[in-house]
Amino acid sequence: MAVRRRRQGGGCWGRRPERPRCGTGAPRSIRAVFPSQGSPEAPEQGQERRGKRAAPAEAPPPAKLSRAELYKPPTNEELNRLKETEDLFHSSLLRLQIEELLKEVTLKETKKKKIDAFLHEINSLLSAIPETPETELTDQAWLPKDVKVPFLQVPFSVKGRFHFMPPAELKVVGSYLLGTCIRPEINVDMAVTMPREIFQDKDNLNQRYHRKRALYLAHIAQHLSKQQLFGSVKFAYMNSNHLKPILLLRPQGKDEKMVTVRLHACPAPGLFKPSRFYPSKNNIRTAWFVEQSTPKEGALEPPTPHYNNSILCDTMLLSHLQFLSNAATDFPGMKDGVALLKVWLNQRQLSKGLGCFSGFLVSMLVAYLLMKRKIVKMMSGYQVLRSTLQFLATTDLSVTGISLVKDVDPALPVLDDFQQAFEVVFVDPSGLVNLCADMTASKYHQVQFEARYSMEILDDRMVDGFQALLMTAKPMLRAFDHVFHLKHVSKLQGTCKKMQLLNELMDRGGNYVAAALPFIVSLLVRGLSGRALLVVHSLPQTPEWPIDAEPPKHKDVGPLTFGLLFYPDFAASVLEKGPQADHPEALDFRTFWGEKSELRRFQDGSICEAVVWEANTAYQKRLIPEQIVRHLLKLHADIPESSICYMGALLESVIRTGKEASGTGEEAMVSVVRAYDDLSRKLWHLKELPLMVTSVQGVHPALRYTDVFPPIPMKPVYSFHARIKTKQMLLPSEEKPCPAYIAPLKMICHMEGSGQWPQDKDAIKRIKAAFHLQLAELLQQQHQLVCRPAVTHTDVCKDGYVFRLQVAYHREPLILKEVVTPEGMLKYQDTEESRQLEVEIQHKPYITSSLHGLQQQHPVFGSACRLAKRWVSAHLLSDNISEECMDLLVAFLFLHPAPFTPPSSPQVGFLRFLDLLATFDWKNSPLIVNLNAGLTDADCTEIKSKFAAARSRLPVMFIATPKDPWSSMWTQERPSAQILQRLTVLASESLRALEEQLMDPLKTQDVKMVFRPPLDFYDVLIHLNPKQIPRHLESVDQPLKSFSRGVVKNSSAEKILFPVVDYDPVQCYLQELRDAFSDLALFFYDKHGGEVIAVLWKPLSFQPQPFKASNVKGRMVTTLNDKLVCVPNVEAILEDFEVLGEGLVKRVEARTEKWTI
């Protein structure tokens, strides 16, 4: 269920905010728990909210309280409430949010009255349906052509006779009566008891009961479909179990979405002997199922526990209702607790489909905890939620089942019988029904994992538990590191054959998806045991269908999706080590891995079975799970590779350069850092320097692993360049294409303090220049490095990279702050120059070292950052948001991932980045990035309160870090409110498009689509000549024609002429355009190989200005209402664009239809 929500806080979400938003405020954020279409009031509320706020109604004057009343002591109830808030909730806000959410999802009284009236009408219609004559079960000619039997009748021939008689009893069952049904999807379950007369002996065998049930519903459907009362009459499978069709009735007109009444046909009480349906009994004969005329001699019939369970469930509908209503009496907290648990399950996509953790199951679990005294009737809804999550987190029902049976009856099957027949066991009060019969162990482990993680979130004061648990949807794509689809589920028929699952197929009524799924999941769990913390599958769901259509086949559940959640340290391991060759387990290992298994000798001398996966780069190692999945499914389940659509790393192609590149640049980044470390050591140990180098700090993004395209070591080809003979330096040649871009990697060299440093800012600059000269000289003498000194820095060529050294003196920012007042007093105040220097020599190195540390903890942090930056740049916005700001946004996802776990694949990191941009409430919340855990709970609260107080003076995007809690320095200048709005819209659309593509394996996946900018938004497009774009190869779509750029990959020659550094003609041209025309237009460009500069006119500049000499730049004089005015001279400006970019600009495309003067 895709859910758009407003996130309320940053990393350390709400403890004690300033004004708790209750009453009319909270529903705004709460409306988003479900898709809006379900809530009947959604449209009116939306319209009301979009309009202006209504004037408050005349409130009655406050009642005057006497002094005694004002100061009377709190009542017992008030004291209890205060105590509970203090003990359980981190703040009174959480309590208010939960109360507000419950108001939002519970059914209003007015709706209940309408639903009750609808149910009464259905009741009277059902009683009036006429009988039909008795026929053979296989003779269905009495049914009109416009109604099809809602059951897959395979094999078709079956004994037995059927005739319709009106229901013996009609009863509403389920959550509606208990008061635990929640909006927006209001389902009311109605049990229609089929009279005893329509059944014969042995109806428990060979699907006879199920087919009678289906025919019974078909006849009801045919009659009700003629009634004006219903807007729609459809069939569906109950929880997608195709043995259990149900009839869905919805009211006519505007109330159609108000309620769905689900009719369940069930047998008359006492019709079947319960002992016939014990888990070890057989009720499907093999000969009938495989259509043989005579059964094999002496063949034992296998037990059919799932089939038996499906019939028993129908017999227990009323007793389950009775049991739950006893539990819920005098227990208002149960109703609230179950509602909260249902919201929690919905947000995690666990509550719908075959084998889901349904609302009914949750209610039974709460009743179980009540019976076991783990919950008492005094508890509030929130306490019920916590206790249930705690129980789920600590109890594995796939290992030890639980039972609601109070008095043990020796005749009933014991828990062990259930444990052998089912993966997950939770037995109902009768001792006959397993409520978790269809659930796989994998699905229960997912529920268990979510419950455990939710408890951690609730206990963490730094996280807004309400937002993370109940307001944030967790779709599979963003919750799991890798996702893959089995696109043709019909291939599972072959799996059933290969794995010899005939007994399971009989038990499941031929449903090969349900029969094969547990085996496939356990296969994957074993294959990925050391790598994956969780292997989960989507729940097969069949849509509802009209009554005149054939029922959906097993393959109509659509593609099956699997999610893998990794242990970050082991997921990329290339080795699968098995047992020693002479151990008995070795044969099992060989059988499991097939021809991939081989004998290897290890360093400790042991000779073991092992599997080694082919992978050289970090990118290939991340995809080893894909190799494992494809290999095992082919080997053991007969699923061809073409049926598996693996979505683990589709997006990473945009951060690869060159067609033959096998990696995504991680290795290049490591070699840059290695060269930097080596240069740092050389600097520390330089001899003959007047002052020691105390520390060397990198500031370039490549040194924190977040450079989109890491520098590649290069050596210039001299024939491509002009040369300055006197200086041993190269220049770009006019005839040749622009040389490849070589980025200088900036490093700050801190020199030791000394009394010899001058205290005058100009003198300090001169001393620094002298140091730059001396560093160049000494590095050349002592280490034979080619250097080029300048006043502000020294460039050093090492291992094919160019490092830019900048000397820093720790007191310089302070000296730059000195100001002498007119009275001759010396005072310190921030100046633009001092701020700039502080950022360069203090803040940038701190960010770089912190994020370098984060990369060591989370190996995919760098790649996720690079994807995010590539996307922003592709949309031409990289000049409008700083690199550091982008890095911090992605760091937030790793440091504060709740309700998710930290990403272990770049793709998931990127999808969550888009979600963060699209949904974070920038207007009302600061984004707190707690680098190195430098902020405490109290600090976060203080940041929030100060932020709220000073909101109007702060940047539109406010990011707080431990070193910069108040000023948000990386977002001070940019992005502007308009750019942030644009980013939000683009992120929201990109996320929608990507999720659509990645979740639909039957379409072709062109994920680069979200990296192609929409250009119809701009007024002028300046097309560039690719020959002069130095980073042309970095563009999203590989250019068809590429140019030789005058460099070769590094050879370790030491004596080289100094290459052309930091030369990008497009950036120079952009700078000139901005200097000349910034008052008239905004310029946008993708610095990674973009071929277009997009121009947007500023609306205000097109308003006629009064004629003044100072107003003439870029304008022409014209008359308007007999006055001389200046308007932009667009033709001349466009001509200037071409003249300024001669040789670089191919053509200027003016989109005149988009603007007028």
Side-chain angles (χ1 to χ4, degrees):
M1 169 177 61
V3 177
R4 277 283 150 263
R5 89 278 185 194
R6 298 168 63 87
R7 200 177 280 187
Q8 281 185 324
C12 330
W13 293 326
R15 254 92 25 233
R16 221 173 265 104
E18 308 63 56
R19 288 198 304 276
R21 295 191 309 168
C22 57
T24 53
R28 231 170 87 193
S29 66
I30 284 160
R31 169 75 47 208
V33 177
F34 303 101
S36 58
Q37 81 273 358
S39 163
E41 292 111 351
E44 296 104 77
Q45 293 221 2
Q47 286 150 13
E48 186 180 286
R49 198 173 303 125
R50 280 195 292 276
K52 290 186 178 164
R53 187 174 295 178
E58 280 298 310
K64 291 222 167 166
L65 296 173
S66 67
R67 190 177 172 81
E69 282 174 314
L70 269 173
Y71 292 100
K72 73 177 180 187
T75 63
N76 238 356
E77 192 185 338
E78 285 169 340
L79 278 173
N80 275 341
R81 203 171 155 82
L82 287 167
K83 180 88 178 90
E84 189 188 285
T85 300
E86 194 179 319
D87 292 349
L88 283 176
F89 300 88
H90 291 164
S91 66
S92 52
L93 176 69
L94 178 56
R95 165 166 231 139
L96 289 167
Q97 286 170 318
I98 283 180
E99 285 171 2
E100 207 54 62
L101 171 65
L102 286 168
K103 269 188 225 164
E104 190 74 14
V105 297
T106 37
L107 201 53
K108 306 280 184 288
E109 278 306 315
T110 49
K111 291 278 181 290
K112 275 189 186 162
K113 283 180 184 153
K114 280 187 180 177
I115 292 172
D116 288 343
F118 184 53
L119 290 172
H120 281 300
E121 291 188 62
I122 292 174
N123 198 349
S124 51
L125 285 174
L126 285 172
S127 314
I129 296 177
E131 296 186 16
T132 62
E134 188 171 69
T135 58
E136 286 294 318
L137 256 182
T138 45
D139 172 15
Q140 295 162 5
W142 57 273
L143 259 183
K145 288 276 181 289
D146 56 356
V147 179
K148 300 278 189 286
V149 182
F151 195 84
L152 295 173
Q153 303 181 65
V154 181
F156 183 71
S157 66
V158 68
K159 293 176 183 167
R161 301 180 68 73
F162 175 79
H163 67 287
F164 183 88
M165 292 175 72
E169 191 181 18
L170 295 166
K171 271 259 176 79
V172 174
V173 293
S175 58
Y176 179 68
L177 281 189
L178 298 169
T180 57
C181 63
I182 60 168
R183 293 177 18 207
E185 290 184 21
I186 299 294
N187 293 316
V188 178
D189 296 292
M190 201 176 216
V192 179
T193 306
M194 299 181 279
R196 187 180 282 267
E197 291 79 9
I198 68 172
F199 292 101
Q200 289 98 34
D201 282 350
K202 297 196 174 176
D203 270 355
N204 55 304
L205 294 177
N206 299 351
Q207 300 181 358
R208 290 180 207 174
Y209 161 74
H210 290 94
R211 296 188 185 195
K212 286 187 176 179
R213 189 180 173 283
L215 285 166
Y216 197 86
L217 286 173
H219 186 64
I220 291 178
Q222 183 235 330
H223 271 270
L224 297 188
S225 62
K226 297 174 186 158
Q227 302 294 331
Q228 291 300 306
L229 176 65
F230 304 108
S232 76
V233 176
K234 288 185 173 182
F235 287 126
Y237 290 140
M238 182 62 188
N239 287 334
S240 296
N241 179 349
H242 80 109
L243 291 174
K244 300 289 275 293
I246 50 176
L247 187 60
L248 308 180
L249 307 173
R250 296 192 178 95
Q252 183 71 40
K254 67 179 187 344
D255 285 339
E256 184 167 356
K257 288 182 177 166
M258 173 178 75
V259 65
T260 303
V261 174
R262 308 193 289 191
L263 296 189
H264 303 256
C266 61
L271 175 68
F272 296 121
K273 262 195 206 160
S275 57
R276 283 181 180 173
F277 298 108
Y278 286 178
S280 54
K281 295 292 173 70
N282 168 281
N283 282 300
I284 297 263
R285 303 292 186 249
T286 314
W288 171 79
F289 188 75
V290 297
E291 300 187 77
Q292 289 173 342
S293 50
T294 52
K296 279 187 185 169
E297 284 294 313
L300 279 176
E301 291 289 354
T304 51
H306 290 91
Y307 174 88
N308 302 349
N309 206 73
S310 70
I311 297 180
L312 282 170
C313 277
D314 285 355
T315 63
M316 296 295 168
L317 284 174
L318 296 170
S319 64
H320 287 164
L321 173 73
Q322 190 58 48
F323 175 74
L324 284 174
S325 72
N326 289 343
T329 40
D330 307 326
F331 186 6
M334 176 168 173
K335 184 175 137 187
D336 293 349
V338 169
L340 290 173
L341 282 160
K342 282 184 177 179
V343 171
W344 181 81
L345 288 164
N346 283 346
Q347 294 290 40
R348 281 152 186 73
Q349 299 184 339
L350 294 167
S351 58
K352 284 199 185 112
L354 184 66
C356 63
F357 207 101
S358 62
F360 165 66
L361 196 50
V362 154
S363 308
M364 289 301 250
L365 186 61
V366 172
Y368 170 81
L369 295 177
L370 184 68
M371 186 179 102
K372 292 288 181 200
R373 309 257 169 86
K374 298 251 172 76
I375 285 180
V376 290
K377 292 200 171 186
M378 294 285 291
M379 284 185 173
S380 67
Y382 177 67
Q383 286 171 300
V384 170
L385 170 76
R386 277 191 72 110
S387 305
T388 310
L389 290 179
Q390 180 63 35
F391 176 79
L392 283 170
T394 52
T395 316
D396 190 348
L397 298 186
S398 65
V399 178
T400 48
I402 54 174
S403 170
L404 282 161
V405 180
K406 279 196 177 130
D407 309 311
V408 181
D409 178 350
L412 287 175
V414 291
L415 270 179
D416 277 355
D417 298 342
F418 285 102
Q419 212 89 49
Q420 281 171 1
F422 302 103
E423 286 201 276
V424 185
V425 175
F426 177 17
V427 181
D428 82 327
S430 70
L432 296 166
V433 177
N434 178 15
L435 303 170
C436 295
D438 291 329
M439 193 180 292
T440 61
S442 150
K443 191 47 69 177
Y444 182 76
H445 290 146
Q446 186 188 353
V447 173
Q448 202 181 4
F449 171 81
E450 289 289 358
R452 196 181 310 124
Y453 195 49
S454 296
M455 285 307 290
E456 285 173 27
I457 290 172
L458 283 175
D459 292 336
D460 184 352
R461 284 185 165 278
M462 301 285 269
V463 179
D464 175 358
F466 174 76
Q467 192 69 38
L469 257 63
L470 302 170
M471 301 303 295
T472 310
K474 289 188 72 173
M476 266 181 116
L477 264 183
R478 296 206 296 276
F480 293 95
D481 296 315
H482 281 189
V483 165
F484 67 92
H485 307 283
L486 178 58
K487 43 182 179 180
H488 313 118
V489 287
S490 53
K491 298 285 183 228
L492 292 175
Q493 287 169 285
T495 303
C496 291
K497 226 177 234 156
K498 173 106 178 177
M499 292 184 163
Q500 299 172 340
L501 302 179
L502 176 64
N503 297 351
E504 282 74 13
L505 272 174
M506 282 165 47
D507 188 16
R508 302 280 195 162
N511 184 350
Y512 48 83
V513 181
L517 190 57
F519 293 91
I520 283 195
V521 174
S522 58
L523 180 74
L524 294 174
V525 166
R526 181 176 167 188
L528 296 163
S529 59
R531 302 166 190 273
L533 171 69
L534 268 186
V535 177
V536 308
H537 57 86
S538 61
L539 295 161
Q541 282 189 49
T542 30
E544 49 192 60
W545 69 96
I547 59 171
D548 57 358
E550 291 292 341
K553 308 275 190 295
H554 303 305
K555 66 174 191 296
D556 294 339
V557 295
L560 264 184
T561 306
F562 295 82
L564 311 176
L565 193 65
F566 295 129
Y567 295 113
D569 303 341
F570 306 110
S573 160
V574 291
L575 178 75
E576 208 78 50
K577 189 176 175 184
Q580 291 198 358
D582 52 356
H583 281 205
E585 301 92 57
L587 178 64
D588 183 38
F589 185 87
R590 275 198 300 277
T591 314
F592 185 73
W593 289 107
E595 79 279 2
K596 292 272 182 195
S597 176
E598 55 192 29
L599 280 179
R600 290 214 163 213
R601 188 188 185 100
F602 289 87
Q603 284 179 335
D604 60 0
S606 60
I607 297 173
C608 298
E609 290 288 343
V611 178
V612 178
W613 301 101
E614 291 248 336
N616 302 318
T617 61
Y619 165 72
Q620 289 169 333
K621 285 177 183 170
R622 281 199 294 273
L623 284 176
I624 286 175
E626 175 178 6
Q627 293 186 46
I628 294 174
V629 165
R630 288 182 184 280
H631 172 68
L632 290 177
L633 291 183
K634 178 90 186 72
L635 180 67
H636 294 290
D638 240 355
I639 294 173
E641 294 206 7
S642 56
S643 291
I644 297 166
C645 195
Y646 201 92
M647 304 291 190
L650 288 187
L651 286 170
E652 293 173 48
S653 57
V654 295
I655 50 173
R656 289 216 298 262
T657 51
K659 292 187 175 67
E660 69 297 326
S662 60
T664 42
E666 285 89 349
E667 291 70 30
M669 217 83 81
V670 171
S671 87
V672 171
V673 173
R674 205 177 288 133
Y676 157 78
D677 287 340
D678 190 35
L679 182 56
S680 302
R681 277 192 292 277
K682 288 184 164 63
L683 285 166
W684 288 328
H685 300 127
L686 272 184
K687 300 183 183 83
E688 300 172 34
L689 260 182
L691 291 175
M692 297 268 294
V693 174
T694 55
S695 75
V696 180
Q697 293 175 308
V699 292
H700 191 274
L703 301 175
R704 55 180 183 257
Y705 300 93
T706 65
D707 197 14
V708 180
F709 293 101
I712 290 162
M714 294 184 187
K715 173 179 174 284
V717 176
Y718 298 156
S719 60
F720 264 76
H721 298 74
R723 194 181 301 195
I724 305 177
K725 289 272 172 34
T726 53
K727 291 197 174 175
Q728 298 286 301
M729 279 159 57
L730 298 172
L731 284 177
S733 159
E734 280 187 36
E735 295 80 49
K736 304 277 185 185
C738 173
Y741 182 73
I742 296 179
L745 303 166
K746 196 163 179 187
M747 302 159 65
I748 305 292
C749 294
H750 289 270
M751 310 306 286
E752 65 181 326
S754 156
Q756 304 295 309
W757 277 98
Q759 300 305 302
D760 171 67
K761 58 182 180 182
D762 293 327
I764 289 175
K765 282 178 186 159
R766 290 192 178 85
I767 294 281
K768 279 164 59 179
F771 268 121
H772 291 136
L773 286 165
Q774 190 154 20
L775 281 172
E777 198 178 309
L778 294 174
L779 284 169
Q780 253 162 343
Q781 281 172 14
Q782 295 174 24
H783 300 288
Q784 291 73 51
L785 294 173
V786 182
C787 301
R788 186 176 66 182
V791 175
T792 53
H793 58 264
T794 283
D795 284 346
V796 180
C797 207
K798 179 179 189 319
D799 302 339
Y801 303 108
V802 174
F803 290 95
R804 180 159 286 179
L805 310 183
Q806 184 179 327
V807 167
Y809 168 45
H810 67 95
R811 289 201 66 245
E812 190 181 3
L814 195 64
I815 291 163
L816 287 176
K817 288 180 184 177
E818 289 177 358
V819 179
V820 180
T821 62
E823 295 81 41
M825 296 281 288
L826 184 67
K827 70 170 190 174
Y828 292 98
Q829 67 181 43
D830 277 343
T831 62
E832 190 49 48
E833 200 180 357
S834 75
R835 263 199 298 269
Q836 199 57 47
L837 188 69
E838 269 183 342
V839 166
E840 285 295 329
I841 70 172
Q842 287 171 16
H843 295 288
K844 276 190 180 175
Y846 165 73
I847 284 271
T848 302
S849 64
S850 299
L851 296 180
H852 183 283
L854 189 62
Q855 166 73 19
Q856 305 308 317
Q857 286 172 283
H858 302 286
V860 301
F861 163 70
S863 305
C865 258
R866 292 164 58 209
L867 277 172
K869 288 181 186 175
R870 186 68 194 93
W871 177 82
V872 168
S873 183
H875 286 286
L876 319 183
L877 297 172
S878 55
D879 290 338
N880 296 282
I881 182 165
S882 68
E883 290 235 4
E884 289 77 15
C885 168
M886 298 286 297
D887 288 348
L888 287 172
L889 286 174
V890 178
F892 173 81
L893 301 168
F894 285 82
L895 292 167
H896 313 283
F900 303 100
T901 50
S904 283
S905 82
Q907 182 166 296
V908 168
F910 175 64
L911 291 170
R912 289 191 207 162
F913 162 79
L914 291 179
D915 181 56
L916 174 70
L917 266 187
T919 59
F920 191 79
D921 183 4
W922 296 106
K923 189 177 173 191
N924 300 312
S925 310
L927 186 86
I928 302 175
V929 185
N930 197 358
L931 293 169
N932 307 327
L935 294 168
T936 63
D937 185 20
D939 295 335
C940 295
T941 310
E942 190 184 356
I943 288 171
K944 284 180 185 161
S945 54
K946 286 196 176 178
F947 169 84
R951 183 64 191 108
S952 55
R953 300 191 298 281
L954 295 171
V956 286
M957 182 188 251
F958 186 92
I959 300 179
T961 61
K963 276 269 196 299
D964 170 35
W966 313 122
S967 67
S968 186
M969 67 171 61
W970 307 112
T971 60
Q972 281 283 335
E973 318 283 319
R974 51 197 183 149
S976 63
Q978 294 84 344
I979 294 290
L980 182 58
Q981 173 61 27
R982 175 96 181 128
L983 269 173
T984 303
V985 171
L986 284 169
S988 163
E989 278 306 301
S990 298
L991 185 65
R992 187 192 55 73
L994 268 180
E995 293 197 330
E996 217 169 83
Q997 282 213 333
L998 294 174
M999 284 311 280
D1000 186 0
L1002 301 172
K1003 285 189 184 159
T1004 51
Q1005 274 78 34
D1006 177 20
V1007 289
K1008 286 187 174 179
M1009 177 184 78
V1010 301
F1011 290 85
R1012 296 187 191 112
L1015 293 175
D1016 45 5
F1017 173 73
Y1018 298 99
D1019 299 323
V1020 178
L1021 299 179
I1022 303 173
H1023 295 271
L1024 305 173
N1025 173 5
K1027 205 171 169 184
Q1028 299 303 332
I1029 304 173
R1031 307 191 218 182
H1032 194 220
L1033 279 175
E1034 295 175 6
S1035 53
V1036 170
D1037 295 296
Q1038 284 284 325
L1040 297 172
K1041 184 179 172 194
S1042 59
F1043 301 91
S1044 173
R1045 297 275 173 201
V1047 289
V1048 288
K1049 293 284 168 64
N1050 188 39
S1051 64
S1052 54
E1054 294 195 345
K1055 292 285 178 207
I1056 61 163
L1057 297 179
F1058 211 87
V1060 178
V1061 177
D1062 201 16
Y1063 173 60
D1064 186 342
V1066 188
Q1067 292 299 335
C1068 305
Y1069 175 53
L1070 265 175
Q1071 196 49 54
E1072 287 184 15
L1073 288 176
R1074 285 177 180 142
D1075 291 346
F1077 303 109
S1078 59
D1079 54 334
L1080 292 168
L1082 296 167
F1083 298 90
F1084 301 90
Y1085 178 63
D1086 173 6
K1087 65 181 178 187
H1088 297 294
E1091 292 187 13
V1092 171
I1093 293 176
V1095 186
L1096 207 52
W1097 298 122
K1098 290 185 173 176
L1100 292 175
S1101 63
F1102 273 67
Q1103 290 178 357
Q1105 308 278 336
F1107 172 58
K1108 286 184 194 160
S1110 60
N1111 269 353
V1112 178
K1113 183 182 163 194
R1115 291 183 164 81
M1116 58 185 182
V1117 181
T1118 180
T1119 52
L1120 182 71
N1121 301 338
D1122 299 333
K1123 285 185 185 170
L1124 283 179
V1125 291
C1126 295
V1127 292
N1129 184 352
V1130 176
E1131 282 183 17
I1133 292 170
L1134 297 183
E1135 199 178 321
D1136 285 353
F1137 287 174
E1138 288 204 52
V1139 172
L1140 273 174
E1142 191 185 345
L1144 174 63
V1145 174
K1146 210 195 290 185
R1147 63 192 169 91
V1148 174
E1149 178 190 345
R1151 302 180 158 203
T1152 42
E1153 75 280 1
K1154 291 187 67 65
W1155 34 269
T1156 50
I1157 300 173

